[in-house]
mmCIF file of all heavy atoms in Angstrom:
data_model
loop_
_atom_site.group_PDB
_atom_site.id
_atom_site.type_symbol
_atom_site.label_atom_id
_atom_site.label_comp_id
_atom_site.label_asym_id
_atom_site.label_seq_id
_atom_site.Cartn_x
_atom_site.Cartn_y
_atom_site.Cartn_z
ATOM 1 N N GLY R 38 6.485 20.101 10.340
ATOM 2 C CA GLY R 38 7.595 19.708 11.230
ATOM 3 C C GLY R 38 7.204 18.804 12.368
ATOM 4 O O GLY R 38 6.941 17.595 12.005
ATOM 5 N N ILE R 39 7.109 19.242 13.506
ATOM 6 C CA ILE R 39 7.063 18.355 14.724
ATOM 7 C C ILE R 39 5.821 17.439 14.742
ATOM 8 O O ILE R 39 6.044 16.215 14.920
ATOM 9 C CB ILE R 39 7.034 19.279 16.057
ATOM 10 C CG1 ILE R 39 8.312 20.218 15.942
ATOM 11 C CG2 ILE R 39 6.904 18.403 17.206
ATOM 12 C CD1 ILE R 39 8.332 21.310 16.926
ATOM 13 N N ASP R 76 9.427 26.924 5.522
ATOM 14 C CA ASP R 76 10.095 27.395 6.773
ATOM 15 C C ASP R 76 11.494 27.682 6.463
ATOM 16 O O ASP R 76 12.172 28.285 7.457
ATOM 17 C CB ASP R 76 10.101 26.322 7.879
ATOM 18 C CG ASP R 76 8.710 26.086 8.513
ATOM 19 O OD1 ASP R 76 7.695 26.625 7.945
ATOM 20 O OD2 ASP R 76 8.607 25.466 9.558
ATOM 21 N N ILE R 85 18.966 26.492 5.750
ATOM 22 C CA ILE R 85 18.462 25.635 6.898
ATOM 23 C C ILE R 85 16.924 25.350 6.489
ATOM 24 O O ILE R 85 16.260 26.151 6.078
ATOM 25 C CB ILE R 85 18.399 26.545 8.164
ATOM 26 C CG1 ILE R 85 19.972 26.769 8.545
ATOM 27 C CG2 ILE R 85 17.649 25.831 9.263
ATOM 28 C CD1 ILE R 85 20.138 27.930 9.512
ATOM 29 N N CYS R 86 16.566 23.911 6.504
ATOM 30 C CA CYS R 86 15.340 23.401 6.139
ATOM 31 C C CYS R 86 14.666 22.792 7.390
ATOM 32 O O CYS R 86 14.770 21.554 7.427
ATOM 33 C CB CYS R 86 15.566 22.430 4.972
ATOM 34 S SG CYS R 86 16.293 23.126 3.523
ATOM 35 N N PRO R 87 14.112 23.550 8.257
ATOM 36 C CA PRO R 87 13.607 22.947 9.633
ATOM 37 C C PRO R 87 12.689 21.821 9.375
ATOM 38 O O PRO R 87 12.845 20.767 10.016
ATOM 39 C CB PRO R 87 12.881 24.258 10.112
ATOM 40 C CG PRO R 87 13.564 25.388 9.571
ATOM 41 C CD PRO R 87 13.858 24.988 8.190
ATOM 42 N N ASP R 88 11.686 21.876 8.528
ATOM 43 C CA ASP R 88 10.751 20.917 8.474
ATOM 44 C C ASP R 88 11.279 19.444 7.836
ATOM 45 O O ASP R 88 11.004 18.380 8.308
ATOM 46 C CB ASP R 88 9.454 21.292 7.758
ATOM 47 C CG ASP R 88 8.594 22.089 8.660
ATOM 48 O OD1 ASP R 88 8.913 22.275 9.763
ATOM 49 O OD2 ASP R 88 7.490 22.497 8.190
ATOM 50 N N ASP R 90 14.467 18.712 8.017
ATOM 51 C CA ASP R 90 15.356 18.187 9.002
ATOM 52 C C ASP R 90 14.626 17.504 10.158
ATOM 53 O O ASP R 90 15.038 16.523 10.726
ATOM 54 C CB ASP R 90 16.293 19.217 9.467
ATOM 55 C CG ASP R 90 17.334 19.780 8.433
ATOM 56 O OD1 ASP R 90 17.375 19.077 7.363
ATOM 57 O OD2 ASP R 90 17.876 20.781 8.643
ATOM 58 N N THR R 91 13.531 18.164 10.513
ATOM 59 C CA THR R 91 12.691 17.514 11.708
ATOM 60 C C THR R 91 12.161 16.137 11.305
ATOM 61 O O THR R 91 12.247 15.239 12.098
ATOM 62 C CB THR R 91 11.593 18.517 12.053
ATOM 63 O OG1 THR R 91 12.157 19.687 12.624
ATOM 64 C CG2 THR R 91 10.659 17.854 13.081
ATOM 65 N N TRP R 106 12.527 19.627 17.677
ATOM 66 C CA TRP R 106 13.312 20.067 16.574
ATOM 67 C C TRP R 106 14.731 19.950 16.976
ATOM 68 O O TRP R 106 15.065 19.829 18.125
ATOM 69 C CB TRP R 106 12.976 21.474 16.062
ATOM 70 C CG TRP R 106 12.994 22.468 17.197
ATOM 71 C CD1 TRP R 106 11.902 22.878 18.001
ATOM 72 C CD2 TRP R 106 14.155 23.180 17.668
ATOM 73 N NE1 TRP R 106 12.344 23.772 18.955
ATOM 74 C CE2 TRP R 106 13.682 23.954 18.805
ATOM 75 C CE3 TRP R 106 15.518 23.151 17.395
ATOM 76 C CZ2 TRP R 106 14.582 24.787 19.444
ATOM 77 C CZ3 TRP R 106 16.355 24.033 18.091
ATOM 78 C CH2 TRP R 106 15.829 24.800 19.092
ATOM 79 N N GLY R 107 15.617 20.105 15.969
ATOM 80 C CA GLY R 107 17.111 20.116 16.302
ATOM 81 C C GLY R 107 17.549 18.678 16.720
ATOM 82 O O GLY R 107 16.821 17.797 16.995
ATOM 83 N N TRP R 128 18.628 35.210 17.492
ATOM 84 C CA TRP R 128 17.474 34.584 18.119
ATOM 85 C C TRP R 128 17.366 33.159 17.566
ATOM 86 O O TRP R 128 16.622 32.324 18.084
ATOM 87 C CB TRP R 128 16.166 35.383 17.819
ATOM 88 C CG TRP R 128 15.977 35.881 16.407
ATOM 89 C CD1 TRP R 128 16.155 37.119 16.050
ATOM 90 C CD2 TRP R 128 15.662 35.214 15.250
ATOM 91 N NE1 TRP R 128 16.082 37.246 14.710
ATOM 92 C CE2 TRP R 128 15.599 36.066 14.181
ATOM 93 C CE3 TRP R 128 15.223 33.854 14.963
ATOM 94 C CZ2 TRP R 128 15.241 35.750 12.932
ATOM 95 C CZ3 TRP R 128 14.821 33.510 13.642
ATOM 96 C CH2 TRP R 128 14.924 34.402 12.543
ATOM 97 N N PHE R 129 18.145 32.774 16.470
ATOM 98 C CA PHE R 129 18.023 31.484 15.966
ATOM 99 C C PHE R 129 18.839 30.364 16.689
ATOM 100 O O PHE R 129 20.060 30.601 16.806
ATOM 101 C CB PHE R 129 18.213 31.475 14.521
ATOM 102 C CG PHE R 129 17.824 30.198 13.692
ATOM 103 C CD1 PHE R 129 16.560 29.977 13.274
ATOM 104 C CD2 PHE R 129 18.803 29.234 13.433
ATOM 105 C CE1 PHE R 129 16.144 28.924 12.605
ATOM 106 C CE2 PHE R 129 18.345 28.088 12.735
ATOM 107 C CZ PHE R 129 17.143 27.788 12.381
ATOM 108 N N GLY R 130 18.215 29.366 17.136
ATOM 109 C CA GLY R 130 18.913 28.265 17.923
ATOM 110 C C GLY R 130 19.794 27.437 16.999
ATOM 111 O O GLY R 130 19.313 26.253 16.739
ATOM 112 N N LEU R 131 20.841 27.897 16.514
ATOM 113 C CA LEU R 131 21.792 27.045 15.636
ATOM 114 C C LEU R 131 22.627 26.104 16.414
ATOM 115 O O LEU R 131 23.556 26.549 17.027
ATOM 116 C CB LEU R 131 22.501 28.106 14.778
ATOM 117 C CG LEU R 131 23.412 27.432 13.704
ATOM 118 C CD1 LEU R 131 22.742 26.721 12.636
ATOM 119 C CD2 LEU R 131 24.506 28.443 13.166
ATOM 120 N N ASP R 135 23.617 20.330 14.265
ATOM 121 C CA ASP R 135 22.799 20.584 13.145
ATOM 122 C C ASP R 135 23.525 21.465 12.088
ATOM 123 O O ASP R 135 23.120 21.316 10.968
ATOM 124 C CB ASP R 135 21.620 21.629 13.769
ATOM 125 C CG ASP R 135 20.377 21.692 12.970
ATOM 126 O OD1 ASP R 135 20.198 20.749 12.110
ATOM 127 O OD2 ASP R 135 19.704 22.587 12.955
ATOM 128 N N HIS R 139 23.580 21.677 7.689
ATOM 129 C CA HIS R 139 23.382 22.820 6.913
ATOM 130 C C HIS R 139 24.624 23.036 6.011
ATOM 131 O O HIS R 139 24.597 23.642 4.860
ATOM 132 C CB HIS R 139 23.042 24.034 7.782
ATOM 133 C CG HIS R 139 22.057 23.866 8.812
ATOM 134 N ND1 HIS R 139 20.905 23.159 8.470
ATOM 135 C CD2 HIS R 139 21.972 24.299 10.110
ATOM 136 C CE1 HIS R 139 20.152 23.113 9.601
ATOM 137 N NE2 HIS R 139 20.854 23.786 10.554
ATOM 138 N N PHE R 194 9.109 33.893 8.389
ATOM 139 C CA PHE R 194 8.337 33.137 9.254
ATOM 140 C C PHE R 194 9.171 32.731 10.579
ATOM 141 O O PHE R 194 8.673 32.800 11.544
ATOM 142 C CB PHE R 194 7.816 31.834 8.607
ATOM 143 C CG PHE R 194 7.284 30.799 9.546
ATOM 144 C CD1 PHE R 194 6.007 31.006 10.001
ATOM 145 C CD2 PHE R 194 7.990 29.767 9.925
ATOM 146 C CE1 PHE R 194 5.477 30.055 10.826
ATOM 147 C CE2 PHE R 194 7.444 28.821 10.769
ATOM 148 C CZ PHE R 194 6.270 28.980 11.232
ATOM 149 N N GLN R 195 10.468 32.420 10.359
ATOM 150 C CA GLN R 195 11.278 32.015 11.539
ATOM 151 C C GLN R 195 11.403 33.146 12.572
ATOM 152 O O GLN R 195 11.362 32.866 13.771
ATOM 153 C CB GLN R 195 12.675 31.484 11.085
ATOM 154 C CG GLN R 195 12.667 30.176 10.219
ATOM 155 C CD GLN R 195 11.983 29.027 11.031
ATOM 156 O OE1 GLN R 195 11.946 29.017 12.206
ATOM 157 N NE2 GLN R 195 11.453 28.112 10.296
ATOM 158 N N TRP R 198 8.033 33.324 14.308
ATOM 159 C CA TRP R 198 7.793 32.091 15.084
ATOM 160 C C TRP R 198 8.822 31.972 16.256
ATOM 161 O O TRP R 198 8.275 31.697 17.430
ATOM 162 C CB TRP R 198 7.980 30.834 14.208
ATOM 163 C CG TRP R 198 7.500 29.557 14.735
ATOM 164 C CD1 TRP R 198 8.346 28.557 15.296
ATOM 165 C CD2 TRP R 198 6.252 29.052 14.693
ATOM 166 N NE1 TRP R 198 7.515 27.506 15.668
ATOM 167 C CE2 TRP R 198 6.220 27.760 15.244
ATOM 168 C CE3 TRP R 198 5.012 29.514 14.182
ATOM 169 C CZ2 TRP R 198 5.087 26.994 15.419
ATOM 170 C CZ3 TRP R 198 3.901 28.736 14.409
ATOM 171 C CH2 TRP R 198 3.966 27.447 14.913
ATOM 172 N N ILE R 199 10.033 32.260 16.082
ATOM 173 C CA ILE R 199 10.994 32.067 17.112
ATOM 174 C C ILE R 199 11.221 33.361 17.999
ATOM 175 O O ILE R 199 11.034 33.386 19.239
ATOM 176 C CB ILE R 199 12.343 31.658 16.612
ATOM 177 C CG1 ILE R 199 12.239 30.324 15.875
ATOM 178 C CG2 ILE R 199 13.392 31.499 17.634
ATOM 179 C CD1 ILE R 199 13.528 29.932 15.071
ATOM 180 N N ARG R 202 7.513 34.593 19.009
ATOM 181 C CA ARG R 202 6.600 33.470 19.415
ATOM 182 C C ARG R 202 5.180 33.521 18.756
ATOM 183 O O ARG R 202 4.197 33.299 19.500
ATOM 184 C CB ARG R 202 6.465 33.474 20.917
ATOM 185 C CG ARG R 202 7.735 33.363 21.721
ATOM 186 C CD ARG R 202 8.707 32.220 21.409
ATOM 187 N NE ARG R 202 8.131 30.896 21.316
ATOM 188 C CZ ARG R 202 8.694 29.917 20.540
ATOM 189 N NH1 ARG R 202 9.749 30.184 19.821
ATOM 190 N NH2 ARG R 202 8.199 28.689 20.615
ATOM 191 N N SER R 244 2.415 24.728 7.068
ATOM 192 C CA SER R 244 3.052 23.631 6.803
ATOM 193 C C SER R 244 2.251 22.812 5.707
ATOM 194 O O SER R 244 2.668 22.937 4.447
ATOM 195 C CB SER R 244 3.176 22.517 8.041
ATOM 196 O OG SER R 244 4.048 23.166 9.023
HETATM 197 N N1 FO1 B 424 12.243 26.627 17.033
HETATM 198 C C1 FO1 B 424 12.302 27.502 18.217
HETATM 199 O O1 FO1 B 424 11.247 27.653 18.759
HETATM 200 N N2 FO1 B 424 13.439 28.137 18.494
HETATM 201 C C2 FO1 B 424 14.636 27.910 17.875
HETATM 202 O O2 FO1 B 424 15.645 28.504 18.271
HETATM 203 C C3 FO1 B 424 14.580 26.963 16.822
HETATM 204 C C4 FO1 B 424 15.821 26.673 15.962
HETATM 205 C C5 FO1 B 424 15.714 25.696 15.010
HETATM 206 C C6 FO1 B 424 16.900 25.330 14.434
HETATM 207 C C7 FO1 B 424 16.791 24.359 13.350
HETATM 208 C C8 FO1 B 424 15.625 23.756 13.021
HETATM 209 O O3 FO1 B 424 15.531 22.813 12.135
HETATM 210 C C9 FO1 B 424 14.350 24.241 13.725
HETATM 211 C C10 FO1 B 424 14.458 25.173 14.607
HETATM 212 N N3 FO1 B 424 13.353 25.498 15.342
HETATM 213 C C11 FO1 B 424 13.322 26.408 16.292
HETATM 214 C C12 FO1 B 424 11.978 25.090 14.959
HETATM 215 C C13 FO1 B 424 11.662 25.921 13.618
HETATM 216 O O4 FO1 B 424 11.171 27.087 14.071
HETATM 217 C C14 FO1 B 424 10.585 25.295 12.742
HETATM 218 O O5 FO1 B 424 10.088 26.160 11.921
HETATM 219 C C15 FO1 B 424 9.415 24.670 13.553
HETATM 220 O O6 FO1 B 424 9.716 23.313 13.370
HETATM 221 C C16 FO1 B 424 8.027 24.961 13.108
HETATM 222 O O7 FO1 B 424 7.655 24.244 11.968
#
Side-chain angles (χ1 to χ4, degrees):
I39 301 166
D76 284 16
I85 295 162
C86 301
D88 281 358
D90 293 348
T91 293
W106 55 265
W128 43 262
F129 191 82
L131 179 69
D135 200 28
H139 310 320
F194 169 76
Q195 292 301 337
W198 192 260
I199 298 175
R202 306 307 308 156
S244 294

